[in-house]
Amino acid sequence: LLARERLTLADALTALRAFGARLGLFRFSGVTTLDWGEKTTYFAALLEGIKAGDLSADQAEAYGEIVIHSQDSQPAGTAKATP
């Protein structure tokens, strides 16, 4: 049997931040995972991203779709101003 690399919390958070930076907002259901373990790792990473202030999330109703917003996103074709 070949061992499969496990998704770490840090890797999942990096991926969510990258999705957010590129897309601005995205749905949690759109995050592709191989199994329930990866889904829970991404969810834990989402909570860490919210706690750090990098991401925010909205959910209209219990068990409804989770929409994730990046706090660092910008419209395509624009550059961030540096002080």
Side-chain angles (χ1 to χ4, degrees), residues 65-78:
E65 182 70 63
I66 299 171
V67 179
I68 303 165
H69 306 267
S70 173
Q71 301 305 312
D72 193 31
S73 65
Q74 56 194 357
T78 63

